[in-house]
Amino acid sequence: MYHFMVKKLAVQSFENLNRGDYESVLKNISPDISHTFSGNHSLGGTRHSVGAMREWFGRLFRLSPGLSFEIQNVAVSGWPWNTTVAVEWVDRATPADGSDYVNEGVHVIKMRWGKVVYLHAYLDTQKTVDMCDRLAAFGMPEALAEPIED
């Protein structure tokens, strides 16, 4: 039953992101978070606070408006004090330059007592770099900004 509830929470979190509602996702983040988005680009790096994650989500949705995730698989293991969740997804967006953005990846999430303490997104980072380069050429300097890290 516990794994079913965690899976439902994970799917709901991605549905909230599909609506651009990252604030509801941040409510389930521990103050002791480690959030890593792979790659060397403006969305890359590691954050260790809810505030930095809020800034990062803001940038994510500015660079890739209409971002939506299609969940492929969710796997849950462990107990409430040490839970691991793997979410496999395909995401799509239409950045400001009008191009299509499609990527696929996996989020590895670790939870303790209902709070996310670790989140690492693994994806094709070259697709993200290409999107950022196109957006910078289109006139969005934030696409080449330094990663948000703390």
Side-chain angles (χ1 to χ4, degrees), residues 86-145:
V87 181
E88 181 184 12
W89 47 262
V90 174
D91 69 352
R92 293 173 173 77
T94 304
D97 69 345
S99 65
D100 288 328
Y101 175 81
V102 179
N103 209 334
E104 58 186 320
V106 173
H107 276 66
V108 175
I109 303 162
K110 295 187 183 215
M111 299 174 67
R112 288 198 181 91
W113 301 111
K115 293 287 187 180
V116 175
V117 297
Y118 173 91
L119 192 158
H120 193 137
Y122 296 92
L123 62 151
D124 185 341
T125 59
Q126 188 59 53
K127 290 182 180 183
T128 306
V129 168
D130 292 346
M131 177 190 73
C132 289
D133 288 345
R134 285 191 314 271
L135 289 172
F138 185 73
M140 294 185 74
E142 184 176 27
L144 295 182

Tab-separated table of all heavy atoms in Angstrom, residues 86-145:
chain	number	residue	atom	x	y	z
A	86	ALA	N	11.988	5.860	-8.992
A	86	ALA	CA	12.528	6.123	-10.329
A	86	ALA	C	11.348	6.404	-11.250
A	86	ALA	O	10.415	5.603	-11.328
A	86	ALA	CB	13.332	4.931	-10.835
A	87	VAL	N	11.393	7.563	-11.909
A	87	VAL	CA	10.314	7.962	-12.821
A	87	VAL	C	10.914	8.129	-14.210
A	87	VAL	O	11.742	9.010	-14.427
A	87	VAL	CB	9.637	9.276	-12.368
A	87	VAL	CG1	8.505	9.647	-13.315
A	87	VAL	CG2	9.139	9.170	-10.931
A	88	GLU	N	10.486	7.275	-15.125
A	88	GLU	CA	10.917	7.365	-16.515
A	88	GLU	C	9.896	8.198	-17.276
A	88	GLU	O	8.691	7.986	-17.122
A	88	GLU	CB	11.007	5.966	-17.106
A	88	GLU	CG	11.466	5.916	-18.538
A	88	GLU	CD	11.434	4.508	-19.106
A	88	GLU	OE1	10.858	3.592	-18.488
A	88	GLU	OE2	11.983	4.335	-20.207
A	89	TRP	N	10.364	9.147	-18.113
A	89	TRP	CA	9.452	10.091	-18.752
A	89	TRP	C	9.940	10.500	-20.135
A	89	TRP	O	11.095	10.315	-20.485
A	89	TRP	CB	9.290	11.343	-17.888
A	89	TRP	CG	10.580	11.906	-17.378
A	89	TRP	CD1	11.128	11.709	-16.136
A	89	TRP	CD2	11.522	12.722	-18.088
A	89	TRP	NE1	12.338	12.368	-16.048
A	89	TRP	CE2	12.595	12.994	-17.223
A	89	TRP	CE3	11.556	13.254	-19.371
A	89	TRP	CZ2	13.691	13.768	-17.602
A	89	TRP	CZ3	12.651	14.028	-19.753
A	89	TRP	CH2	13.699	14.281	-18.859
A	90	VAL	N	9.006	11.056	-20.892
A	90	VAL	CA	9.298	11.796	-22.123
A	90	VAL	C	8.723	13.179	-21.893
A	90	VAL	O	7.586	13.310	-21.422
A	90	VAL	CB	8.629	11.143	-23.360
A	90	VAL	CG1	8.816	12.007	-24.602
A	90	VAL	CG2	9.157	9.738	-23.582
A	91	ASP	N	9.514	14.223	-22.173
A	91	ASP	CA	8.980	15.582	-22.015
A	91	ASP	C	8.976	16.310	-23.348
A	91	ASP	O	9.732	15.989	-24.250
A	91	ASP	CB	9.697	16.374	-20.928
A	91	ASP	CG	11.130	16.746	-21.264
A	91	ASP	OD1	11.672	16.289	-22.278
A	91	ASP	OD2	11.729	17.513	-20.494
A	92	ARG	N	8.062	17.276	-23.413
A	92	ARG	CA	7.898	18.076	-24.622
A	92	ARG	C	7.666	19.525	-24.227
A	92	ARG	O	7.043	19.795	-23.202
A	92	ARG	CB	6.699	17.595	-25.433
A	92	ARG	CG	6.870	16.226	-26.033
A	92	ARG	CD	5.589	15.711	-26.693
A	92	ARG	NE	5.815	14.467	-27.391
A	92	ARG	CZ	5.923	13.288	-26.797
A	92	ARG	NH1	5.813	13.192	-25.494
A	92	ARG	NH2	6.149	12.194	-27.495
A	93	ALA	N	8.145	20.442	-25.088
A	93	ALA	CA	7.892	21.866	-24.880
A	93	ALA	C	8.030	22.561	-26.227
A	93	ALA	O	8.579	21.999	-27.181
A	93	ALA	CB	8.882	22.457	-23.877
A	94	THR	N	7.531	23.787	-26.281
A	94	THR	CA	7.740	24.645	-27.438
A	94	THR	C	8.415	25.910	-26.933
A	94	THR	O	7.752	26.822	-26.443
A	94	THR	CB	6.407	24.988	-28.141
A	94	THR	OG1	5.757	23.769	-28.498
A	94	THR	CG2	6.659	25.811	-29.395
A	95	PRO	N	9.751	25.953	-26.999
A	95	PRO	CA	10.482	27.125	-26.543
A	95	PRO	C	10.090	28.373	-27.330
A	95	PRO	O	9.428	28.292	-28.371
A	95	PRO	CB	11.947	26.751	-26.786
A	95	PRO	CG	11.958	25.251	-26.826
A	95	PRO	CD	10.641	24.879	-27.439
A	96	ALA	N	10.540	29.524	-26.850
A	96	ALA	CA	10.162	30.825	-27.427
A	96	ALA	C	10.516	30.953	-28.898
A	96	ALA	O	9.872	31.699	-29.626
A	96	ALA	CB	10.819	31.951	-26.635
A	97	ASP	N	11.521	30.229	-29.366
A	97	ASP	CA	11.898	30.321	-30.778
A	97	ASP	C	10.978	29.518	-31.684
A	97	ASP	O	11.149	29.510	-32.899
A	97	ASP	CB	13.359	29.906	-30.985
A	97	ASP	CG	13.599	28.419	-30.754
A	97	ASP	OD1	12.722	27.734	-30.165
A	97	ASP	OD2	14.666	27.928	-31.163
A	98	GLY	N	9.995	28.824	-31.105
A	98	GLY	CA	9.017	28.064	-31.883
A	98	GLY	C	9.447	26.664	-32.259
A	98	GLY	O	8.681	25.922	-32.870
A	99	SER	N	10.659	26.279	-31.886
A	99	SER	CA	11.136	24.934	-32.215
A	99	SER	C	10.467	23.904	-31.312
A	99	SER	O	9.883	24.242	-30.284
A	99	SER	CB	12.656	24.866	-32.051
A	99	SER	OG	13.008	25.052	-30.693
A	100	ASP	N	10.558	22.662	-31.718
A	100	ASP	CA	10.069	21.580	-30.865
A	100	ASP	C	11.200	21.119	-29.958
A	100	ASP	O	12.364	21.068	-30.371
A	100	ASP	CB	9.606	20.384	-31.703
A	100	ASP	CG	8.313	20.658	-32.437
A	100	ASP	OD1	7.486	21.424	-31.900
A	100	ASP	OD2	8.128	20.111	-33.533
A	101	TYR	N	10.850	20.800	-28.737
A	101	TYR	CA	11.803	20.226	-27.797
A	101	TYR	C	11.188	18.945	-27.268
A	101	TYR	O	10.085	18.961	-26.702
A	101	TYR	CB	12.095	21.188	-26.639
A	101	TYR	CG	12.986	20.579	-25.577
A	101	TYR	CD1	14.365	20.531	-25.748
A	101	TYR	CD2	12.444	20.039	-24.421
A	101	TYR	CE1	15.185	19.967	-24.782
A	101	TYR	CE2	13.258	19.476	-23.453
A	101	TYR	CZ	14.626	19.440	-23.638
A	101	TYR	OH	15.440	18.878	-22.682
A	102	VAL	N	11.883	17.841	-27.476
A	102	VAL	CA	11.458	16.538	-26.954
A	102	VAL	C	12.691	15.884	-26.367
A	102	VAL	O	13.746	15.858	-26.995
A	102	VAL	CB	10.857	15.636	-28.058
A	102	VAL	CG1	10.451	14.279	-27.489
A	102	VAL	CG2	9.677	16.309	-28.739
A	103	ASN	N	12.557	15.373	-25.169
A	103	ASN	CA	13.664	14.687	-24.521
A	103	ASN	C	13.088	13.519	-23.737
A	103	ASN	O	11.870	13.427	-23.574
A	103	ASN	CB	14.424	15.654	-23.595
A	103	ASN	CG	15.887	15.295	-23.436
A	103	ASN	OD1	16.277	14.142	-23.578
A	103	ASN	ND2	16.705	16.298	-23.141
A	104	GLU	N	13.934	12.665	-23.275
A	104	GLU	CA	13.492	11.564	-22.435
A	104	GLU	C	14.536	11.327	-21.368
A	104	GLU	O	15.709	11.631	-21.553
A	104	GLU	CB	13.230	10.301	-23.245
A	104	GLU	CG	14.413	9.801	-24.039
A	104	GLU	CD	14.038	8.632	-24.937
A	104	GLU	OE1	13.264	7.765	-24.514
A	104	GLU	OE2	14.529	8.610	-26.073
A	105	GLY	N	14.075	10.820	-20.244
A	105	GLY	CA	15.008	10.594	-19.162
A	105	GLY	C	14.368	9.922	-17.969
A	105	GLY	O	13.257	9.402	-18.052
A	106	VAL	N	15.095	9.988	-16.876
A	106	VAL	CA	14.674	9.368	-15.623
A	106	VAL	C	15.006	10.315	-14.482
A	106	VAL	O	16.081	10.916	-14.458
A	106	VAL	CB	15.402	8.025	-15.393
A	106	VAL	CG1	15.105	7.450	-14.020
A	106	VAL	CG2	15.048	7.019	-16.476
A	107	HIS	N	14.078	10.464	-13.571
A	107	HIS	CA	14.354	11.135	-12.307
A	107	HIS	C	14.566	10.039	-11.263
A	107	HIS	O	13.719	9.142	-11.131
A	107	HIS	CB	13.160	11.981	-11.853
A	107	HIS	CG	13.100	13.335	-12.451
A	107	HIS	ND1	12.888	13.564	-13.785
A	107	HIS	CD2	13.209	14.555	-11.872
A	107	HIS	CE1	12.851	14.859	-14.008
A	107	HIS	NE2	13.053	15.491	-12.870
A	108	VAL	N	15.671	10.106	-10.554
A	108	VAL	CA	15.893	9.249	-9.391
A	108	VAL	C	15.645	10.121	-8.174
A	108	VAL	O	16.271	11.171	-8.014
A	108	VAL	CB	17.309	8.648	-9.380
A	108	VAL	CG1	17.542	7.855	-8.103
A	108	VAL	CG2	17.519	7.781	-10.618
A	109	ILE	N	14.717	9.684	-7.351
A	109	ILE	CA	14.255	10.477	-6.209
A	109	ILE	C	14.409	9.638	-4.943
A	109	ILE	O	14.017	8.471	-4.923
A	109	ILE	CB	12.768	10.864	-6.397
A	109	ILE	CG1	12.591	11.622	-7.712
A	109	ILE	CG2	12.251	11.646	-5.203
A	109	ILE	CD1	11.156	11.665	-8.211
A	110	LYS	N	14.946	10.254	-3.910
A	110	LYS	CA	15.011	9.597	-2.595
A	110	LYS	C	14.184	10.428	-1.628
A	110	LYS	O	14.262	11.661	-1.625
A	110	LYS	CB	16.448	9.460	-2.125
A	110	LYS	CG	17.220	8.542	-3.043
A	110	LYS	CD	18.585	8.224	-2.543
A	110	LYS	CE	19.262	7.373	-3.602
A	110	LYS	NZ	20.122	6.377	-3.065
A	111	MET	N	13.406	9.715	-0.831
A	111	MET	CA	12.514	10.366	0.127
A	111	MET	C	12.759	9.824	1.525
A	111	MET	O	13.114	8.661	1.694
A	111	MET	CB	11.047	10.106	-0.255
A	111	MET	CG	10.657	10.651	-1.612
A	111	MET	SD	8.977	10.184	-2.087
A	111	MET	CE	8.036	11.094	-0.865
A	112	ARG	N	12.532	10.696	2.492
A	112	ARG	CA	12.538	10.305	3.904
A	112	ARG	C	11.297	10.899	4.550
A	112	ARG	O	11.108	12.116	4.496
A	112	ARG	CB	13.786	10.811	4.607
A	112	ARG	CG	15.005	10.049	4.185
A	112	ARG	CD	16.163	10.217	5.148
A	112	ARG	NE	17.289	9.463	4.638
A	112	ARG	CZ	18.224	9.963	3.833
A	112	ARG	NH1	18.197	11.216	3.484
A	112	ARG	NH2	19.202	9.190	3.399
A	113	TRP	N	10.451	10.035	5.073
A	113	TRP	CA	9.245	10.451	5.776
A	113	TRP	C	8.397	11.445	4.958
A	113	TRP	O	7.966	12.476	5.449
A	113	TRP	CB	9.562	11.006	7.164
A	113	TRP	CG	10.262	9.991	8.028
A	113	TRP	CD1	11.552	10.049	8.447
A	113	TRP	CD2	9.727	8.771	8.510
A	113	TRP	NE1	11.857	8.929	9.174
A	113	TRP	CE2	10.744	8.124	9.235
A	113	TRP	CE3	8.489	8.130	8.406
A	113	TRP	CZ2	10.559	6.890	9.848
A	113	TRP	CZ3	8.305	6.908	9.022
A	113	TRP	CH2	9.333	6.307	9.741
A	114	GLY	N	8.229	11.127	3.670
A	114	GLY	CA	7.349	11.913	2.813
A	114	GLY	C	7.970	13.146	2.182
A	114	GLY	O	7.308	13.849	1.429
A	115	LYS	N	9.232	13.423	2.463
A	115	LYS	CA	9.909	14.586	1.901
A	115	LYS	C	11.034	14.133	0.964
A	115	LYS	O	11.793	13.209	1.280
A	115	LYS	CB	10.510	15.480	2.995
A	115	LYS	CG	9.471	16.149	3.867
A	115	LYS	CD	8.765	17.248	3.115
A	115	LYS	CE	7.842	18.020	4.029
A	115	LYS	NZ	7.151	19.089	3.322
A	116	VAL	N	11.161	14.824	-0.167
A	116	VAL	CA	12.222	14.532	-1.124
A	116	VAL	C	13.527	15.119	-0.598
A	116	VAL	O	13.613	16.318	-0.327
A	116	VAL	CB	11.884	15.112	-2.510
A	116	VAL	CG1	13.044	14.916	-3.476
A	116	VAL	CG2	10.604	14.484	-3.056
A	117	VAL	N	14.541	14.266	-0.469
A	117	VAL	CA	15.854	14.698	0.012
A	117	VAL	C	16.912	14.656	-1.085
A	117	VAL	O	17.988	15.235	-0.940
A	117	VAL	CB	16.330	13.867	1.228
A	117	VAL	CG1	15.395	14.070	2.413
A	117	VAL	CG2	16.463	12.398	0.875
A	118	TYR	N	16.587	13.970	-2.175
A	118	TYR	CA	17.534	13.806	-3.283
A	118	TYR	C	16.731	13.676	-4.567
A	118	TYR	O	15.758	12.919	-4.623
A	118	TYR	CB	18.369	12.553	-3.048
A	118	TYR	CG	19.285	12.160	-4.180
A	118	TYR	CD1	20.597	12.620	-4.241
A	118	TYR	CD2	18.846	11.291	-5.181
A	118	TYR	CE1	21.443	12.242	-5.268
A	118	TYR	CE2	19.689	10.913	-6.213
A	118	TYR	CZ	20.976	11.383	-6.258
A	118	TYR	OH	21.810	11.005	-7.269
A	119	LEU	N	17.122	14.435	-5.571
A	119	LEU	CA	16.458	14.353	-6.870
A	119	LEU	C	17.527	14.589	-7.932
A	119	LEU	O	18.192	15.623	-7.921
A	119	LEU	CB	15.361	15.410	-6.974
A	119	LEU	CG	14.389	15.294	-8.147
A	119	LEU	CD1	13.106	16.032	-7.806
A	119	LEU	CD2	14.971	15.808	-9.421
A	120	HIS	N	17.722	13.604	-8.797
A	120	HIS	CA	18.695	13.727	-9.876
A	120	HIS	C	17.995	13.400	-11.181
A	120	HIS	O	17.422	12.326	-11.327
A	120	HIS	CB	19.872	12.781	-9.655
A	120	HIS	CG	21.045	13.074	-10.533
A	120	HIS	ND1	22.329	13.059	-10.071
A	120	HIS	CD2	21.142	13.390	-11.848
A	120	HIS	CE1	23.164	13.355	-11.055
A	120	HIS	NE2	22.454	13.551	-12.154
A	121	ALA	N	18.029	14.343	-12.118
A	121	ALA	CA	17.428	14.145	-13.439
A	121	ALA	C	18.508	13.709	-14.419
A	121	ALA	O	19.508	14.410	-14.593
A	121	ALA	CB	16.758	15.425	-13.920
A	122	TYR	N	18.305	12.548	-15.025
A	122	TYR	CA	19.206	12.026	-16.050
A	122	TYR	C	18.474	12.110	-17.378
A	122	TYR	O	17.347	11.615	-17.503
A	122	TYR	CB	19.565	10.563	-15.756
A	122	TYR	CG	20.336	10.379	-14.479
A	122	TYR	CD1	19.678	10.115	-13.282
A	122	TYR	CD2	21.727	10.450	-14.470
A	122	TYR	CE1	20.380	9.938	-12.096
A	122	TYR	CE2	22.440	10.262	-13.291
A	122	TYR	CZ	21.760	10.010	-12.117
A	122	TYR	OH	22.457	9.832	-10.950
A	123	LEU	N	19.081	12.756	-18.372
A	123	LEU	CA	18.431	12.959	-19.661
A	123	LEU	C	19.488	13.188	-20.727
A	123	LEU	O	20.683	13.234	-20.426
A	123	LEU	CB	17.486	14.157	-19.581
A	123	LEU	CG	18.149	15.498	-19.271
A	123	LEU	CD1	17.343	16.612	-19.882
A	123	LEU	CD2	18.267	15.701	-17.777
A	124	ASP	N	19.054	13.359	-21.960
A	124	ASP	CA	19.971	13.669	-23.053
A	124	ASP	C	20.326	15.149	-22.945
A	124	ASP	O	19.591	16.015	-23.415
A	124	ASP	CB	19.304	13.351	-24.396
A	124	ASP	CG	20.244	13.545	-25.579
A	124	ASP	OD1	21.268	14.254	-25.429
A	124	ASP	OD2	19.938	12.996	-26.652
A	125	THR	N	21.442	15.439	-22.319
A	125	THR	CA	21.807	16.835	-22.063
A	125	THR	C	22.146	17.592	-23.340
A	125	THR	O	22.005	18.815	-23.379
A	125	THR	CB	22.982	16.932	-21.071
A	125	THR	OG1	24.111	16.236	-21.613
A	125	THR	CG2	22.601	16.334	-19.733
A	126	GLN	N	22.564	16.895	-24.386
A	126	GLN	CA	22.868	17.598	-25.637
A	126	GLN	C	21.613	18.258	-26.203
A	126	GLN	O	21.680	19.352	-26.755
A	126	GLN	CB	23.484	16.642	-26.675
A	126	GLN	CG	23.979	17.372	-27.911
A	126	GLN	CD	25.040	18.418	-27.588
A	126	GLN	OE1	26.038	18.109	-26.941
A	126	GLN	NE2	24.825	19.647	-28.030
A	127	LYS	N	20.470	17.629	-26.038
A	127	LYS	CA	19.219	18.240	-26.500
A	127	LYS	C	18.926	19.521	-25.724
A	127	LYS	O	18.437	20.501	-26.287
A	127	LYS	CB	18.058	17.252	-26.376
A	127	LYS	CG	18.153	16.118	-27.375
A	127	LYS	CD	16.974	15.181	-27.259
A	127	LYS	CE	17.105	14.061	-28.282
A	127	LYS	NZ	15.953	13.159	-28.248
A	128	THR	N	19.237	19.524	-24.431
A	128	THR	CA	19.030	20.725	-23.621
A	128	THR	C	20.017	21.819	-24.027
A	128	THR	O	19.637	22.985	-24.148
A	128	THR	CB	19.147	20.388	-22.127
A	128	THR	OG1	18.246	19.321	-21.815
A	128	THR	CG2	18.819	21.588	-21.268
A	129	VAL	N	21.264	21.453	-24.238
A	129	VAL	CA	22.271	22.421	-24.689
A	129	VAL	C	21.848	23.024	-26.031
A	129	VAL	O	21.922	24.251	-26.222
A	129	VAL	CB	23.668	21.757	-24.795
A	129	VAL	CG1	24.656	22.652	-25.529
A	129	VAL	CG2	24.198	21.400	-23.415
A	130	ASP	N	21.392	22.187	-26.953
A	130	ASP	CA	20.958	22.679	-28.267
A	130	ASP	C	19.799	23.664	-28.124
A	130	ASP	O	19.769	24.708	-28.780
A	130	ASP	CB	20.561	21.527	-29.182
A	130	ASP	CG	21.741	20.657	-29.603
A	130	ASP	OD1	22.908	21.083	-29.418
A	130	ASP	OD2	21.489	19.543	-30.111
A	131	MET	N	18.837	23.339	-27.251
A	131	MET	CA	17.715	24.248	-27.025
A	131	MET	C	18.215	25.583	-26.470
A	131	MET	O	17.804	26.648	-26.930
A	131	MET	CB	16.701	23.633	-26.049
A	131	MET	CG	15.539	24.573	-25.716
A	131	MET	SD	14.483	24.007	-24.364
A	131	MET	CE	15.529	24.292	-22.933
A	132	CYS	N	19.099	25.529	-25.495
A	132	CYS	CA	19.621	26.762	-24.896
A	132	CYS	C	20.375	27.599	-25.930
A	132	CYS	O	20.228	28.828	-25.966
A	132	CYS	CB	20.512	26.432	-23.700
A	132	CYS	SG	19.598	25.814	-22.270
A	133	ASP	N	21.157	26.957	-26.771
A	133	ASP	CA	21.887	27.688	-27.820
A	133	ASP	C	20.911	28.361	-28.787
A	133	ASP	O	21.112	29.520	-29.167
A	133	ASP	CB	22.821	26.748	-28.584
A	133	ASP	CG	24.033	26.314	-27.779
A	133	ASP	OD1	24.320	26.944	-26.724
A	133	ASP	OD2	24.686	25.334	-28.189
A	134	ARG	N	19.863	27.656	-29.192
A	134	ARG	CA	18.872	28.247	-30.097
A	134	ARG	C	18.177	29.433	-29.438
A	134	ARG	O	17.952	30.466	-30.072
A	134	ARG	CB	17.816	27.212	-30.510
A	134	ARG	CG	18.293	26.191	-31.520
A	134	ARG	CD	17.151	25.362	-32.091
A	134	ARG	NE	16.217	24.854	-31.118
A	134	ARG	CZ	16.327	23.685	-30.479
A	134	ARG	NH1	17.364	22.896	-30.724
A	134	ARG	NH2	15.410	23.308	-29.610
A	135	LEU	N	17.844	29.304	-28.144
A	135	LEU	CA	17.159	30.383	-27.447
A	135	LEU	C	18.067	31.603	-27.274
A	135	LEU	O	17.609	32.740	-27.375
A	135	LEU	CB	16.635	29.902	-26.099
A	135	LEU	CG	15.462	28.933	-26.182
A	135	LEU	CD1	15.133	28.369	-24.810
A	135	LEU	CD2	14.250	29.595	-26.811
A	136	ALA	N	19.328	31.378	-27.024
A	136	ALA	CA	20.267	32.495	-26.914
A	136	ALA	C	20.363	33.232	-28.251
A	136	ALA	O	20.349	34.467	-28.289
A	136	ALA	CB	21.635	31.993	-26.468
A	137	ALA	N	20.442	32.477	-29.347
A	137	ALA	CA	20.496	33.097	-30.673
A	137	ALA	C	19.195	33.838	-30.985
A	137	ALA	O	19.197	34.819	-31.728
A	137	ALA	CB	20.765	32.027	-31.729
A	138	PHE	N	18.103	33.394	-30.389
A	138	PHE	CA	16.795	34.018	-30.589
A	138	PHE	C	16.650	35.301	-29.766
A	138	PHE	O	15.732	36.079	-29.966
A	138	PHE	CB	15.702	33.005	-30.216
A	138	PHE	CG	14.302	33.452	-30.490
A	138	PHE	CD1	13.811	33.526	-31.786
A	138	PHE	CD2	13.464	33.802	-29.442
A	138	PHE	CE1	12.510	33.932	-32.031
A	138	PHE	CE2	12.160	34.206	-29.676
A	138	PHE	CZ	11.681	34.278	-30.984
A	139	GLY	N	17.560	35.497	-28.807
A	139	GLY	CA	17.529	36.715	-28.010
A	139	GLY	C	17.177	36.513	-26.547
A	139	GLY	O	16.765	37.463	-25.879
A	140	MET	N	17.361	35.311	-26.048
A	140	MET	CA	17.114	35.030	-24.629
A	140	MET	C	18.449	34.753	-23.940
A	140	MET	O	18.887	33.603	-23.870
A	140	MET	CB	16.167	33.834	-24.467
A	140	MET	CG	14.767	34.078	-24.969
A	140	MET	SD	13.683	32.673	-24.623
A	140	MET	CE	13.431	32.852	-22.852
A	141	PRO	N	19.106	35.775	-23.400
A	141	PRO	CA	20.423	35.569	-22.785
A	141	PRO	C	20.391	34.625	-21.578
A	141	PRO	O	21.402	34.002	-21.268
A	141	PRO	CB	20.868	36.976	-22.386
A	141	PRO	CG	19.636	37.819	-22.424
A	141	PRO	CD	18.679	37.166	-23.374
A	142	GLU	N	19.242	34.525	-20.909
A	142	GLU	CA	19.152	33.603	-19.762
A	142	GLU	C	19.468	32.165	-20.163
A	142	GLU	O	19.911	31.375	-19.345
A	142	GLU	CB	17.754	33.686	-19.136
A	142	GLU	CG	17.616	32.838	-17.902
A	142	GLU	CD	16.268	32.972	-17.212
A	142	GLU	OE1	15.266	33.296	-17.885
A	142	GLU	OE2	16.214	32.729	-15.993
A	143	ALA	N	19.278	31.836	-21.421
A	143	ALA	CA	19.548	30.477	-21.906
A	143	ALA	C	21.025	30.125	-21.810
A	143	ALA	O	21.371	28.942	-21.815
A	143	ALA	CB	19.053	30.322	-23.337
A	144	LEU	N	21.891	31.132	-21.711
A	144	LEU	CA	23.329	30.892	-21.559
A	144	LEU	C	23.851	31.330	-20.189
A	144	LEU	O	25.062	31.373	-19.979
A	144	LEU	CB	24.115	31.605	-22.663
A	144	LEU	CG	23.868	31.118	-24.096
A	144	LEU	CD1	24.728	31.873	-25.075
A	144	LEU	CD2	24.100	29.611	-24.213
A	145	ALA	N	22.936	31.638	-19.276
A	145	ALA	CA	23.338	32.087	-17.945
A	145	ALA	C	24.035	30.963	-17.186
A	145	ALA	O	23.889	29.780	-17.501
A	145	ALA	CB	22.102	32.562	-17.166
